């Protein structure tokens, strides 16, 4: 497979739907990891720009929560409490005793668990949404296909944020 100069695997130009969706999701996961590479905890806590308090550390925590929600809670129906506490604002809140290494390890664990949960599933298999999320989607279930597309969208949006935050930290942009 072809890779970008920074080592990320480029999704195939021609593949079946499942391969394509998983490859793009993995590409965006690798992009988030790249945005956080070689940063210390202080840098990872640097906010993007006033008035936003968004940080790379917060983004990693948020994406760990997003992975956990869509693959474990929604798709697999697991009772998985929030990783960073119920009042953490979807993972964006920072704790003085949690750094980038711990957050990244939690995120990677959730990524691997998600991969395990969908490995033998069909794109048509469905997960079930709680009432508050079902109202936003218009129904109480979503297919694995929908979840994968949503995850790609979620990472793509936040990787744009991550690019701006990283540029603010050390001038490194567009990686």
């Amino acid at each position: 497979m072809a890779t970008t100069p920074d080592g990320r695997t480029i999704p195939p130009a021609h593949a079946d739907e499942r391969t394509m969706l998983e490859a793009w999701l993995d590409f965006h996961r690798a992009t988030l990891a790249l945005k956080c590479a070689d940063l210390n905890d202080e840098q990872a806590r640097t906010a993007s720009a006033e008035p936003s308090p968004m940080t790379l550390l917060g983004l990693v925590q948020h994406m760990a929560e997003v992975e956990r929600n869509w693959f474990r809670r929604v798709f697999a129906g697991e009772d998985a409490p929030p990783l960073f506490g119920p009042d953490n604002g979807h993972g964006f809140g920072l704790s003085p005793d949690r750094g980038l290494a711990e957050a990244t390890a939690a995120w990677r664990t959730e990524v691997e668990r998600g991969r395990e949960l969908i490995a033998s599933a069909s794109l048509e298999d469905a997960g079930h949404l709680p009432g508050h999320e079902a109202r936003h989607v218009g129904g109480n279930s979503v297919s694995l296909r929908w979840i994968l597309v949503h995850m790609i969208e979620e990472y793509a949006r936040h990787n744009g944020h991550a690019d701006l935050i990283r540029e603010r930290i050390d001038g490194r942009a567009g990686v």
Side-chain angles (χ1 to χ4, degrees):
M1 293 199 125
T3 60
T4 60
D6 53 47
R8 290 173 293 158
T9 300
I10 298 171
H14 302 278
D16 64 89
E17 182 182 16
R18 176 71 178 255
T19 300
M20 189 73 69
L21 290 170
E22 289 182 352
W24 274 107
L25 180 54
D26 284 341
F27 179 83
H28 282 292
R29 287 167 170 157
T31 299
L32 180 60
L34 183 65
K35 298 294 178 183
C36 298
D38 305 319
L39 295 177
N40 62 39
D41 285 345
E42 181 182 340
Q43 290 170 313
R45 292 172 180 278
T46 301
S48 58
E50 295 284 337
S52 175
M54 190 178 294
T55 66
L56 287 172
L57 175 55
L59 282 173
V60 171
Q61 292 177 168
H62 173 67
M63 292 313 298
E65 294 288 8
V66 168
E67 292 269 355
R68 187 176 187 89
N69 181 60
W70 287 103
F71 293 117
R72 293 181 69 175
R73 290 187 197 110
V74 173
F75 188 72
E78 291 182 5
D79 181 18
L83 286 166
F84 305 108
D87 300 322
N88 187 274
H90 303 287
F92 286 109
L94 305 183
S95 170
D97 59 340
R98 185 176 39 257
L100 185 58
E102 181 182 345
T104 300
W107 170 64
R108 289 187 190 284
T109 296
E110 292 304 319
V111 166
E112 287 309 310
R113 181 67 179 135
R115 284 185 178 127
E116 291 168 6
L117 291 169
I118 68 169
S120 62
S122 160
L123 291 176
E124 297 303 318
D125 289 345
H128 299 283
L129 297 166
H132 67 282
E133 288 183 9
R135 286 190 299 276
H136 297 295
V137 176
N140 65 353
S141 72
V142 289
S143 68
L144 177 57
R145 175 183 290 104
W146 189 98
I147 292 170
L148 290 171
V149 170
H150 174 68
M151 292 297 293
I152 293 165
E153 174 272 329
E154 184 86 10
Y155 272 99
R157 178 170 21 114
H158 288 312
N159 281 338
H161 299 135
D163 193 39
L164 293 171
I165 296 168
R166 182 64 190 245
E167 186 174 12
R168 180 159 194 227
I169 292 168
D170 63 7
R172 199 165 146 200
V175 294

